[in-house]
Amino acid sequence: MALMPQDQNQILTEVPSSLKKLARLIVRGFYSIEHAIVIDMLVSHPCMKEDDLSELLRFERKHLRSIIAQLKTDKFLKVRLRVETMPDGKTSKHNYYFINYKVFVNVVKYKLDHMRRKIEVEERDSTSRASFKCPNCEKSFTDLDVDQLFDCTTGEFRCTYCSSVVEEDSSSLPKKDSRTILARFNEQMQPIFELLQDTDDMRLDQSVLEPEPTTIETIRANMPNRSHGSAVRVDPNQHVWSGQQRTGYQVSRTRCSRFPCRTTNEQL
């Protein structure tokens, strides 16, 4: 009987480095630097109160909430509401944010598959566009219509409606790189694919999927090289990843912004 690897059914009680790397890689590739800073903080400190995030990052509360709202919409973050008792006996509600890595991995797989399918459809459509056009009635024809257009008596391609000689429609020709888009996409996404493959057999403990809150005092105690009043400062002229606010891993004509694909000519 074959021996089962010792770690095959092991339940992990800490977030593996590959998962942390995946989270950072995705957010740096598809979001703005502010989103990356928030995720970096939650990767290092798995569950944090909104007030503590705002204080440590020196983000305005409204701005922080807009960043978190995007990450929640994309299933990157989850929220836990806790009722806490203040020293004066009053109670208050606080939002705690964390990354549920199991949900996150599934969402990344789904989004990447959606992007790949979209590229495949675009490539397939580019090969079936109109190749001929009648200059008289402006009727368009595809390569599949060649047998109907060809006139055996004259050896010319003629319109099936007005019998005029059709011309090749240069405006409908696929771009020179249309057949390489999917290959380039796969090449540029390879680091992500490899990290996702590493997560296939991972089993995470519930304490990792639903982490306990980390207090701001604990975080500050682990930051000996920073003063308590220091802030994470964002240089608006540095590392503009996507358009003007967020960018992504890109192949020609394909822009990945929070995963939905749009077309562009930008390079990675």
Side-chain angles (χ1 to χ4, degrees), residues 159-224:
C159 178
T160 57
Y161 289 86
C162 66
S163 299
S164 299
V165 177
V166 298
E167 300 175 349
E168 187 175 15
D169 188 4
S170 58
S171 64
S172 66
L173 293 177
K175 296 183 179 180
K176 61 181 181 180
D177 63 344
S178 62
R179 297 182 180 180
T180 63
I181 295 176
L182 184 58
R184 295 185 62 187
F185 169 80
N186 289 332
E187 179 183 355
Q188 295 182 1
M189 295 295 112
Q190 188 59 33
I192 296 178
F193 293 150
E194 292 176 354
L195 289 171
L196 286 173
Q197 188 175 8
D198 291 341
T199 67
D200 286 344
D201 297 326
M202 287 183 181
R203 298 180 60 191
L204 301 178
D205 187 76
Q206 191 63 26
S207 62
V208 175
L209 298 176
E210 302 280 345
E212 289 298 316
T214 305
T215 64
I216 193 171
E217 291 77 15
T218 302
I219 296 173
R220 284 173 169 168
N222 294 329
M223 301 168 63

Side-chain angles (χ1 to χ4, degrees), residues 133-174:
K133 188 174 184 179
C134 177
N136 184 37
C137 66
E138 297 187 349
K139 177 66 177 178
S140 297
F141 303 92
T142 68
D143 292 338
L144 300 177
D145 300 320
V146 170
D147 59 333
Q148 302 177 26
L149 300 176
F150 186 69
D151 187 347
C152 298
T153 59
T154 62
E156 297 174 323
F157 293 101
R158 292 186 174 276
C159 178
T160 57
Y161 289 86
C162 66
S163 299
S164 299
V165 177
V166 298
E167 300 175 349
E168 187 175 15
D169 188 4
S170 58
S171 64
S172 66
L173 293 177

Side-chain angles (χ1 to χ4, degrees), residues 223-237:
M223 301 168 63
N225 295 327
R226 297 183 182 180
S227 63
H228 293 174
S230 64
V232 177
R233 301 185 182 277
V234 177
D235 182 355
N237 298 318

Side-chain angles (χ1 to χ4, degrees), residues 40-41 44 56 68 84 118 134 160 178 180 228 232:
D40 274 342
M41 185 67 75
S44 301
L56 290 173
I68 290 175
E84 299 180 351
K118 185 176 180 66
C134 177
T160 57
S178 62
T180 63
H228 293 174
V232 177

